[in-house]
Amino acid sequence: MASGVTVSDACKTTYEEIKKDKKHRYVVFFIRDEKQIDVETIGERNAEYDQFLEDLQKGGTGECRYGLFDFEYTHQCQGTSEASKKQKLFLMSWCPDTAKVKKKMLYSSSFDALKKSLVGVQKCIQATDLSEASQEAVEEKLRATDRQ
C-alpha cells in the first residue's frame, strides 16, 4: 500500500554523496507534513554509529525516522588468512513501539517509496527498539549476506 508520500531531491542527492563520493557517514530522513520524505540530519564522514542512533531518536520517543548508514567492518573469508574491509549501505526504518499508530502506518507505508528511490542499498532493516538498531544487531544482519 502506497501512502502517496514523495521523496525529495535532497534525499537522492545526499544518498549519491554517501554512495559514490563518500562525503558523509549517514543521513536521517523524516516525513515532512505527511507529504514528503526529506533530509533531517547528515552525519560527518568520521561520525560513529552511536551518533547515528542518537540522531535517529532526536525527534523523541513518539517519532519515527528513516536512516541510511555507510557501515564498515572487516570480513574474513573461510580458508584465507587475510581480512578484507567491507562497506555496506543499509537503510533503517526506525518506528519505536511508543510512536502513535498513525505515524507508524505512515512510515511503514512510505518505506517502499524511499527504498525504490535509493538504488543500491544492500540491506533494509526495520527497528522498533534499540536492541534491533544496535551496532551488533545490524552488523549481524549485514554479515549474513556475506559469502563465507
Side-chain angles (χ1 to χ4, degrees):
M1 180 187 90
S3 61
V5 171
T6 58
V7 180
S8 75
D9 289 339
C11 293
K12 297 171 196 166
T13 306
T14 307
Y15 171 67
E16 289 301 320
E17 287 175 352
I18 291 174
K19 183 181 164 196
K20 287 193 176 115
D21 308 333
K22 305 286 182 207
K23 276 188 186 172
H24 321 292
R25 175 64 60 199
Y26 66 85
V27 58
V28 175
F29 305 110
F30 73 113
I31 299 178
R32 184 188 304 278
D33 305 325
E34 297 185 10
K35 289 184 180 72
Q36 189 174 54
I37 299 171
D38 210 348
V39 173
E40 182 177 57
T41 312
I42 297 175
E44 296 290 321
R45 189 67 197 164
N46 60 1
E48 296 292 326
Y49 191 78
D50 292 343
Q51 184 63 50
F52 169 67
L53 287 180
E54 225 171 85
D55 285 341
L56 260 186
Q57 301 169 73
K58 215 165 44 180
T61 54
E63 289 297 321
C64 300
R65 290 291 184 267
Y66 303 121
L68 178 93
F69 194 91
D70 189 3
F71 198 88
E72 291 178 349
Y73 61 98
T74 51
H75 173 70
Q76 191 163 348
C77 288
Q78 282 180 327
T80 63
S81 57
E82 57 203 54
S84 59
K85 213 174 176 188
K86 291 204 118 178
Q87 284 184 303
K88 288 191 179 173
L89 287 168
F90 74 83
L91 185 62
M92 181 181 286
S93 170
W94 170 257
C95 286
D97 292 330
T98 48
K100 287 188 168 65
V101 173
K102 184 180 177 197
K103 189 151 280 207
K104 287 196 270 193
M105 285 174 64
L106 177 68
Y107 271 79
S108 62
S109 62
S110 306
F111 196 42
D112 264 358
L114 186 61
K115 278 195 278 195
K116 284 182 183 128
S117 68
L118 307 181
V119 179
V121 169
Q122 281 107 334
K123 186 85 181 147
C124 292
I125 296 170
Q126 295 189 331
T128 57
D129 62 35
L130 283 175
S131 69
E132 295 172 324
S134 73
Q135 188 165 351
E136 296 75 24
V138 167
E139 189 169 334
E140 192 179 306
K141 287 176 183 160
L142 295 178
R143 283 184 186 277
T145 62
D146 286 338
R147 277 181 276 150
Q148 296 305 314

